[in-house]
Amino acid sequence: MEPAARRSLYRWSVLLAAVGALLFTATLMGVLQGDGLASADEDARNWLLAIRSELLTVVMIFLAVVFGPIALPIIVLVVILVWGFAAKHAWRPMLLAGGMITGVVISQIILQIVRRSRPPVELMLFGADHTFSFPSGHVLGACDFLLVGTFLIFSRRENTRAAVLGFVGAGVGIVLAALSRLYLGYHWLSDALASLSLSLIILGAVIALDTWRTARIPGERITGELSKADAPGD
């Protein structure tokens, strides 16, 4: 990798983490004070209530199950195992797993600190949930899986167009995951924004860690049998 390319990765990691931290702070302050970014919560909920239909509810329940605490960990585990065996290395699959676990731990800590109530139970369409609301674990899991996974897959490829399409697809998946939780009545819009902001911080940390661990520039020593095989001229 050229020195400029590695510096660019480090800059992106700092930028994403900074944007995530600022967005989370703004969202949290809005939730605690009842204004700012949280002021759109009621409008978003009312709009989603107005567009509810039987077909849309089935679709949203399906999305909620896919990104839920049972299906998503299974999907992640399968991806990690297949990826590890196919690539014959554990670093990047384990980095994905580490990002997912970090998100779960952080969300559980924040849930217990903020202790925000969910929308009214009578508006929930998939069973009552009396746990805390901020941030959304479903949305955070979807963000971590899609954003971190997309970076790890495309960051070493030279096809910029494929990487852009990959992140666009990740963005679509995140929007669908967030919409499903809001539509079904389990979260506020600010809960989803908080989850996205936390995921940006995690993504920035993953980029920095992966770059530090794997990105080498001409003249630097490369160690490891698989790394040497990829750099026959070194």
Side-chain angles (χ1 to χ4, degrees):
M1 176 177 289
E2 293 300 317
R6 188 168 69 174
R7 287 195 299 270
S8 178
L9 285 172
Y10 280 126
R11 283 195 295 268
W12 273 107
S13 70
V14 173
L15 177 62
L16 288 169
V19 170
L22 290 173
L23 179 59
F24 179 79
T25 300
T27 305
L28 178 59
M29 293 304 295
V31 168
L32 295 178
Q33 298 175 3
D35 57 11
L37 293 178
S39 61
D41 286 344
E42 292 288 346
D43 291 336
R45 184 189 66 177
N46 293 336
W47 176 72
L48 289 169
L49 288 175
I51 66 170
R52 281 182 172 179
S53 67
E54 291 186 8
L55 177 60
L56 197 53
T57 298
V58 171
V59 173
M60 293 301 177
I61 289 176
F62 171 77
L63 291 171
V65 171
V66 170
F67 292 112
I70 297 177
L72 187 58
I74 294 175
I75 294 172
V76 173
L77 179 60
V78 171
V79 169
I80 289 172
L81 291 176
V82 172
W83 191 357
F85 282 113
K88 298 181 180 179
H89 70 82
W91 170 249
R92 288 199 155 188
M94 294 308 296
L95 198 54
L96 174 60
M100 298 290 296
I101 294 172
T102 300
V104 171
V105 173
I106 291 176
S107 67
Q108 290 303 310
I109 293 173
I110 296 174
L111 280 169
Q112 297 303 320
I113 294 175
V114 178
R115 303 175 72 86
R116 187 189 196 189
S117 298
R118 292 181 183 271
V121 174
E122 58 268 20
L123 299 179
M124 299 179 182
L125 298 180
F126 198 43
D129 189 340
H130 298 283
T131 59
F132 298 120
S133 176
F134 182 93
S136 168
H138 284 69
V139 178
L140 182 55
C143 290
D144 287 341
F145 179 60
L146 294 172
L147 291 178
V148 173
T150 299
F151 165 74
L152 293 175
I153 291 172
F154 291 104
S155 61
R156 294 297 185 267
R157 300 177 184 273
E158 296 182 358
N159 191 335
T160 304
R161 182 178 179 182
V164 171
L165 291 176
F167 277 105
V168 169
V172 171
I174 291 169
V175 170
L176 290 176
L179 277 177
S180 70
R181 299 305 290 164
L182 272 62
Y183 174 92
L184 294 173
Y186 291 93
H187 283 286
W188 307 100
L189 176 60
S190 51
D191 297 336
L193 288 176
S195 297
L196 175 60
S197 65
L198 290 172
S199 189
L200 290 177
I201 297 173
I202 292 172
L203 176 61
V206 167
I207 293 175
L209 183 59
D210 182 60
T211 302
W212 170 79
R213 174 66 174 76
T214 66
R216 295 293 177 266
I217 61 176
E220 286 187 338
R221 182 169 176 262
I222 298 178
T223 60
E225 293 303 319
L226 292 178
S227 298
K228 291 178 180 178
D230 291 336
D234 187 69

